[in-house]
Amino acid sequence: MACTFSQSFAPVCNGGNTEFFRSHSPLFRKFSNLSCFRAGPIIWDAANSRHGGSFARVRRSCSTSWTGGAGGGYPQSGFPVFHCLASSNGAASPSVERVSVLVIGGGGREHALCYALKRSPSCDAVFCAPGNAGISNSGDATCIEDLDISDSSSVIDFCRKWGIGMVVVGPEAPLVAGLSNDLVKAGILTFGPSSEAAALEGSKDFMKRLCDKYAIPTAKYQTFTDPLAAKAYIAAQGAPIVVKADGLAAGKGVIVAMTLEEAYEAVDSMLVKNAFGSAGCRVIIEEYLEGEEASFFALVDGENAIPLESAQDHKRVGDGDTGPNTGGMGAYSPAPILTKELQSVVMNSIILPTVKGMAAEGCKFVGVLYAGLMIERKSGLPKLIEYNVRFGDPECQVLMVRLESDLAQVLLAACKGELSRVSLDWSPGSAMVVVMASNGYPGSYKKGTVIQNLEEAEQVAPTVKVFHAGTALDSDGNYIATGGRVLGITAKGVDLEEARDRAYQAVEQINWPGGFYRRDIGWRALRSTQKQHATEG
């Protein structure tokens, strides 16, 4: 398919002053780290871009890959080269709405979302704020490090300047703070709930009261602000028992106390010692449920909900699910425990009543509902442990590598209340992610340790992808660790065993003395599969 350029661009393509174009086009400078793909003829209004034109000046029907920066390199002539993608290569049809997307956040979840959006045929460009070194260097998005995502007006100004058609909010904190409210009020489509709806994660007491009102199955509980009353309740209920901080505590506000002493200590740390600040000024004391945990995700448009593929993560830091809880040390998809029948039960008894209940309460939920479930050992039925109002991390990584649908169009449909017309396509087989974390996590850990051989890890197999969660570049250009959970080494396979083997082969390529990882991700599912094979044999 031939490319068509506007007349004003022709001199640059045909031997004009490239340096003049580079120096006068802010769009060119933005594209230096961007590979973007579009469908249809290319029409570039260079005259406008030279005078401060924005990304919106590029027709949404064009298909290009700029070969600068992360997208490749310039030919010897020094001129930019464009490659057109015909519709036969999987590009979106002209009738599909094209969109440029801004992803808010800078962790492994956001890297996975950028990766999936970049592959979306209808996505013109992907920006990520603040992003991280791995997202930027991989070419999965253009990172905007200096954009203050806590300042709604700055985010709105950026969206208007660069023609952003949709914002996808990754972490929970901006959602609870009301970023979606401000963006929607400014007329910008936003995937992520309002602050009122985000209370499903922002306040465990709010979630529990909603469960009571709309008969959503969950663990028995009571809420306390008085430590003496909380301890009296614990004594009456006995151990094991669960103590939770009401608000956001970075995944560390849940204590599974196996003894009364541990439970009392958890209450004191939250209500007396103020270990979690305002997030722990109120605690939920909850019955201990026995069974197997699973993660269930559903996209919601305020009225309708559609399930994503199943996934399961490993919360404990140590092999065999031992040690303290973390944000997640690995995950896999699909999760054998979430059978099709069980998924139907979850949708009908938990997800849909929540969606309808939130609408009835006057705070419609738009975004992704992440239900942490306990499949009870006695009954085999699911109970809701907690809600998150965003994609899980690291579950998002395995879901995004398996998703074959156009993510941009799916999320647009959710923003517009049109999910009833959406169906999702998934790759067959399985995916697994192994999280590499800094030594000492989830406690104190050292920052700045050097990580090497990441390229070698991705060369283990075409289905291996390294997602960055907490990395930066040092003065020598080396990747360094800047967080607790740092990398998510993800692989697909025809089954979970192959996905596991590829993921761990990639992990073994990485040279990082300052990091560690669990060596048994997927053990429950693999054990279940082995039992099934033995029974069949």
Side-chain angles (χ1 to χ4, degrees), residues 186-264:
I188 299 168
L189 291 176
T190 304
F191 183 80
S194 65
S195 59
E196 295 81 6
L200 278 173
E201 179 173 359
S203 170
K204 294 177 180 64
D205 180 65
F206 174 87
M207 185 214 80
K208 285 289 194 177
R209 287 187 285 110
L210 188 85
C211 289
D212 286 347
K213 187 171 183 178
Y214 294 96
I216 299 165
T218 188
K220 183 177 71 174
Y221 78 102
Q222 280 196 29
T223 302
F224 298 92
T225 56
D226 176 14
L228 293 178
K231 290 178 182 179
Y233 180 77
I234 290 170
Q237 298 300 313
I241 199 164
V242 182
V243 182
K244 296 181 177 181
D246 178 54
L248 298 178
K252 299 176 183 178
V254 177
I255 307 297
V256 180
M258 303 309 294
T259 65
L260 292 177
E261 289 70 25
E262 288 177 353
Y264 297 153

Side-chain angles (χ1 to χ4, degrees), residues 221-473:
Y221 78 102
Q222 280 196 29
T223 302
F224 298 92
T225 56
D226 176 14
L228 293 178
K231 290 178 182 179
Y233 180 77
I234 290 170
Q237 298 300 313
I241 199 164
V242 182
V243 182
K244 296 181 177 181
D246 178 54
L248 298 178
K252 299 176 183 178
V254 177
I255 307 297
V256 180
M258 303 309 294
T259 65
L260 292 177
E261 289 70 25
E262 288 177 353
Y264 297 153
E265 184 179 338
V267 168
D268 284 340
S269 70
M270 296 178 193
L271 294 182
V272 178
K273 299 177 182 177
N274 203 29
F276 298 107
S278 60
C281 65
R282 185 164 50 183
V283 299
I284 287 81
I285 312 296
E286 191 174 273
E287 72 170 312
Y288 175 80
L289 299 176
E290 287 192 275
E292 189 168 344
E293 291 188 41
S295 304
F296 190 94
F297 298 88
L299 301 180
V300 183
D301 67 4
E303 298 285 349
N304 308 294
I306 58 172
L308 300 181
E309 263 285 18
S310 63
Q312 192 167 16
D313 75 337
H314 295 260
K315 283 283 191 285
R316 300 279 188 164
V317 72
D319 288 356
D321 292 331
T322 58
N325 274 338
T326 70
M329 294 300 295
Y332 51 91
S333 173
I337 191 172
L338 281 171
T339 63
K340 294 299 180 184
E341 294 77 14
L342 199 54
Q343 290 180 54
S344 179
V345 172
V346 173
M347 283 296 293
N348 291 322
S349 67
I350 295 176
I351 301 296
L352 292 176
T354 299
V355 174
K356 293 175 182 176
M358 292 295 285
E361 295 297 315
C363 46
K364 287 186 177 182
F365 187 97
V366 175
V368 61
L369 264 181
Y370 164 17
L373 305 174
M374 179 66 76
I375 313 303
E376 280 200 290
R377 185 169 297 154
K378 291 181 180 179
S379 66
L381 294 176
K383 281 189 175 180
L384 179 65
I385 300 174
E386 64 178 2
Y387 266 133
N388 292 328
V389 296
R390 32 68 186 185
F391 285 100
D393 186 344
E395 296 97 331
C396 186
Q397 287 85 314
V398 290
L399 291 174
M400 290 302 105
V401 297
R402 292 193 59 213
L403 181 67
E404 294 188 340
S405 299
D406 185 324
L407 180 62
Q409 290 303 303
V410 172
L411 301 187
L412 278 173
C415 294
K416 296 178 178 180
E418 299 173 354
L419 275 181
S420 58
R421 63 175 179 80
V422 170
S423 61
L424 300 175
D425 295 322
W426 302 91
S427 66
S430 298
M432 178 180 288
V433 57
V434 178
V435 169
M436 298 189 74
S438 296
N439 289 336
Y441 175 81
S444 60
Y445 52 84
K446 182 180 178 182
K447 295 183 179 181
T449 54
V450 175
I451 308 167
Q452 296 177 320
N453 295 354
L454 294 181
E455 290 184 4
E456 288 81 351
E458 288 197 329
Q459 291 169 1
V460 163
T463 59
V464 172
K465 174 70 176 178
V466 176
F467 292 111
H468 291 241
T471 63
L473 295 177

Side-chain angles (χ1 to χ4, degrees), residues 101-114 117 127-131 135 149 155 166-176 179-180 183 190-193 198 201 248 297 365-370 388-393 396-397 407 411 485:
V101 182
L102 171 63
V103 176
I104 300 293
R109 167 184 48 233
E110 289 75 37
H111 191 176
L113 290 170
C114 290
L117 286 165
F127 297 89
C128 187
I135 296 174
I149 61 174
V155 177
M166 177 172 62
V167 175
V168 178
V169 185
E172 63 275 17
L175 294 169
V176 173
L179 178 59
S180 289
L183 290 168
T190 304
F191 183 80
E201 179 173 359
L248 298 178
F297 298 88
F365 187 97
V366 175
V368 61
L369 264 181
Y370 164 17
N388 292 328
V389 296
R390 32 68 186 185
F391 285 100
D393 186 344
C396 186
Q397 287 85 314
L407 180 62
L411 301 187
R485 294 186 300 157

Side-chain angles (χ1 to χ4, degrees), residues 111-157:
H111 191 176
L113 290 170
C114 290
Y115 167 79
L117 286 165
K118 182 190 172 185
R119 293 186 300 153
S120 296
S122 67
C123 192
D124 278 340
V126 186
F127 297 89
C128 187
N132 63 47
I135 296 174
S136 178
N137 282 10
S138 67
D140 289 328
T142 298
C143 292
I144 315 299
E145 298 178 14
D146 57 352
L147 180 59
D148 184 359
I149 61 174
S150 65
D151 181 4
S152 296
S153 61
S154 296
V155 177
I156 292 167
D157 289 344

